[in-house]
């Protein structure tokens, strides 16, 4: 038997409803913030990630899926979405749009060769957003507000927003030198990887996954101390806008993030929920003011974030959200040959009218068809036998109230639509039972 590749998984039909709901909320919140969807290829020239994400990051050094294609070109399955979006806006010259900032979002698979565990796969999915073309601190706050609104729309509670600033390229460089000098005096106290890492990429040492409780790291100099006046002002303004927007945050001076392109604001959204296990970080992002230029585009400041879709769904499981209500309106039970033919005609009409319908495909006896109807959990069960057909009627059972009525065949569509609408009207959008209809 051929099995799936380690770190990948099948999304089976019983799980896709939750994904579709999440995608719908993302699309709705993105509209609120005026972000439009962009779709870029899942593989790109390897050089894009080496130069974009950073040669010395764990992601590029140890986690990318690189291969030579049949034309001997080195290509990489994207480990994240930002570099591809940046490549696309440069290649398509979208930076010259008069309509700035560009505000784009994406949902799609990403690939990292990591040790698989709960909330960490080798093929996973991100919902990411990038706002490009402005260095206004309001845009940092807007992007964080968008991320927080998404979590609110999902009714995820107890989410922490952690924020920090790395400053511009010069501040980052000066911080790098300070940090490297500090770490060089205590190399033996670092984990084996960090004993080398501190030389090529000291900021990554602060992000060490093995050793984050190490006092050497806790007491290390912090980036905020290396900010110049303008960077400090920008950071203070971002925080002031967040205050104005009613967003709670924690300034976490140790937050540096795992990708090299960040400058200025960096942030992460964390939820301490049992279903997430050790993967409490739902998403993260920040400014990357120099990335477009470093990939041969013009100076084009930008800020963005990405959430792990799998982690959002795991977090939702912890919140004991109600299971999605049944979306099936009708289960059709047909008994007898003539009724079976007529039922296919009726189903077609109901579906053309927008009703979600299912029926039996095994010629089960009546009891078996009722059992199947129970599994499908429709709002109405229609029972059509040859006798009913002779009288041009059908029996309609409302599964919620348990009542059954005989309805003329040509009126059954109107009957069901009216019943669904009146139920939706009665609970005016706040009923936990039939919210889906009300919305
Ligand atoms: P990142 O922090 O590398 O940032 O990834 C963002 C999120 O993707 C993580 O917080 C996590 O939820 C999810 N994630 C990462 N790796 C895995 C994995 N192996 N399995 C499951 N989920 C995972 C970025 O990727 C940046 N591109 C974010 C960004 C956009 N910054 C600016 N714009």
């Amino acid at each position: 038997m051929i099995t799936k590749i380690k770190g990948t998984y099948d999304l089976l039909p019983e799980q896709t409803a939750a994904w579709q709901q999440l995608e719908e909320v993302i699309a709705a919140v993105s509209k609120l913030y005026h972000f439009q969807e962009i779709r870029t290829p899942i593989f790109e020239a390897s050089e894009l990630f080496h130069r974009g994400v950073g040669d010395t990051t764990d992601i590029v050094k140890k986690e990318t899926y690189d291969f030579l294609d049949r034309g001997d070109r080195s290509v990489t399955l994207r480990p994240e979405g930002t570099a591809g979006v940046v490549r696309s806006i440069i290649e398509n010259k979208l930076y010259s749009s008069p309509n700035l900032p560009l505000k784009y979002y994406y949902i799609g698979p990403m690939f990292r060769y990591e040790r698989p565990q709960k909330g960490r796969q080798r093929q996973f999915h991100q919902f990411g957003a990038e706002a490009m073309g402005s260095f206004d601190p309001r845009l940092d706050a807007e992007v964080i507000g968008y991320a927080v609104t998404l979590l609110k729309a999902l009714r995820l509670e107890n989410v922490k927003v952690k924020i920090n600033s790395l400053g511009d390229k010069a501040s980052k460089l000066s911080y790098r030198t300070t940090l490297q000098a500090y770490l060089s005096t205590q190399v033996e106290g670092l984990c084996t990887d960090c004993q080398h890492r501190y030389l090529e990429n000291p900021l990554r040492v602060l992000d060490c996954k093995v050793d984050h409780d190490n006092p050497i790291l806790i007491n290390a100099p912090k980036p905020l101390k290396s900010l110049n006046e303008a960077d400090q002002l920008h950071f203070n303004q971002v925080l002031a806008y967040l205050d104005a927007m009613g967003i709670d945050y924690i300034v976490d001076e140790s937050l540096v993030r795992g990708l090299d392109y960040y400058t200025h604001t960096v942030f992460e959204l964390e939820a301490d929920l049992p279903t997430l296990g050790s993967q409490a970080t739902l998403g993260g992002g920040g400014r990357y003011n120099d990335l477009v230029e470093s990939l041969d585009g013009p100076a084009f400041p930008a800020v963005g974030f990405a959430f792990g879709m799998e982690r959002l769904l795991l977090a939702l499981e912890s919140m004991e959200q109600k299971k999605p209500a049944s979306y099936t309106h009708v289960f059709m039970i047909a008994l007898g040959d003539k009724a079976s033919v007529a039922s296919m005609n009726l189903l077609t009409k109901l579906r053309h009218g927008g009703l979600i319908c299912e029926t039996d495909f095994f010629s089960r006896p009546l009891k078996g068809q009722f059992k199947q109807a129970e599994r499908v959990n429709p709002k109405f069960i229609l029972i059509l036998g040859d006798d009913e057909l002779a009288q041009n009627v059908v029996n309609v059972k409302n599964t919620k109230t348990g009542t059954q009525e005989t309805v003329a065949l040509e009126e059954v569509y109107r009957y069901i639509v009216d019943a669904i609408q009146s139920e939706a009207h009665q609970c005016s959008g706040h009923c936990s039972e039939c919210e889906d209809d009300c919305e």
Side-chain angles (χ1 to χ4, degrees), residues 402-422:
T403 53
Q404 187 165 313
E405 282 189 63
T406 303
V407 180
L409 271 176
E410 63 269 26
E411 280 165 24
V412 69
Y413 171 73
R414 198 62 268 157
Y415 175 92
I416 291 171
V417 169
D418 286 351
I420 290 170
Q421 277 173 355
S422 94

Side-chain angles (χ1 to χ4, degrees), residues 366-377:
L366 182 64
K367 215 168 146 196
Q369 292 200 47
F370 264 111
K371 266 223 165 99
Q372 180 59 15
E374 256 171 48
R375 290 184 201 113
V376 171
N377 186 25

Side-chain angles (χ1 to χ4, degrees), residues 175 178-192 194-195 198 202-203 205-208 211-223 253-254:
Y175 173 62
T178 313
L179 181 64
Q180 202 166 43
Y182 165 83
L183 294 172
S184 67
T185 61
Q186 344 214 10
V187 182
E188 298 79 43
L190 301 175
C191 81
T192 334
C194 288
Q195 293 189 3
Y198 94 97
L203 263 71
V205 174
L206 293 193
D207 205 38
C208 176
D211 215 13
H212 42 71
D213 293 330
N214 184 341
I216 301 175
L217 305 188
I218 294 170
N219 299 321
K222 302 293 185 290
E253 291 198 45
S254 304

Side-chain angles (χ1 to χ4, degrees), residues 149-174:
T149 302
L150 175 83
L151 300 178
K152 286 227 160 84
L154 293 171
R155 293 175 223 166
L156 274 178
E157 286 147 22
N158 306 326
V159 177
K160 259 193 249 160
V161 179
K162 297 200 303 193
I163 188 165
N164 196 17
S165 176
L166 305 175
D168 66 7
K169 215 195 232 165
S171 299
K172 226 175 127 178
L173 205 64
S174 115

Side-chain angles (χ1 to χ4, degrees), residues 59 80-82 106 112 114 119-121 124 126 129-130 257 259 261-262 281-286 288 304-308 311:
I59 295 180
E80 58 101 54
T82 310
Y106 48 88
R112 294 186 192 177
E114 291 190 86
R120 183 183 287 171
Q121 296 81 21
F124 62 101
Q126 281 186 347
E130 316 294 348
R257 307 267 305 128
L259 302 95
Y261 49 60
Y262 292 113
T281 310
L282 296 174
Y288 47 96
F305 65 78
F307 281 107
R311 294 200 194 167

Side-chain angles (χ1 to χ4, degrees), residues 88 120 268 359 390:
S88 174
R120 183 183 287 171
E268 274 181 359
T359 191

